Amino acid sequence: MNRKELIDSIANTTGASKTDVQEILGAALDGIVAAVAKGEKVSLAGFGTFEPRERSARTGRNPQTGEPVQIAASTAPAFKPASAFKDAVNS
C-alpha cells in the first residue's frame, strides 16, 4: 500500500474528503518526523513507537577493494511495533 492508497482507504472508511485526509495525514507524519528529529520518542498506543537511535562510529570495509573505511557516528530513526500490531500481523 502506498500513500495514495492509504489516503483512499482512510477517506472511504471515515467518509472524509481525500483532500482533508491528505492534509491530516501529512500533518501527522510531519509531526512524527519533527519530534524524532528533535530526539523525542513518539508513542502511538496499539501501533508502536518511533524513536531516534544512536549508532556509534565503526570501521567498515569497501566491498570492491576490501579496504577499511571509517563510518561516522549517526542518529537513525527506528520503529518498534506494539504487541497488538505484532499479533495482528502474525494471526
Side-chain angles (χ1 to χ4, degrees):
M1 176 180 280
N2 62 29
R3 186 180 183 122
K4 183 183 179 312
E5 292 168 341
L6 179 60
I7 290 169
D8 291 344
S9 174
I10 295 170
N12 290 335
T13 302
T14 63
S17 74
K18 289 181 186 179
T19 304
D20 289 344
V21 172
Q22 185 174 0
E23 288 178 18
I24 293 167
L25 180 61
L29 295 177
D30 289 345
I32 292 169
V33 169
V36 173
K38 287 193 291 186
E40 298 173 4
K41 189 184 281 192
V42 178
S43 197
L44 303 172
F47 184 70
T49 303
F50 297 90
E51 64 185 354
R53 290 196 185 147
E54 300 295 324
R55 291 184 176 167
S56 58
R58 62 197 185 279
T59 303
R61 294 220 173 262
N62 181 331
Q64 290 183 332
T65 64
E67 218 176 277
V69 177
Q70 189 61 29
I71 302 170
S74 64
T75 302
F79 175 72
K80 181 180 177 189
S83 59
F85 187 178
K86 288 181 193 176
D87 293 344
V89 171
N90 289 320
S91 62

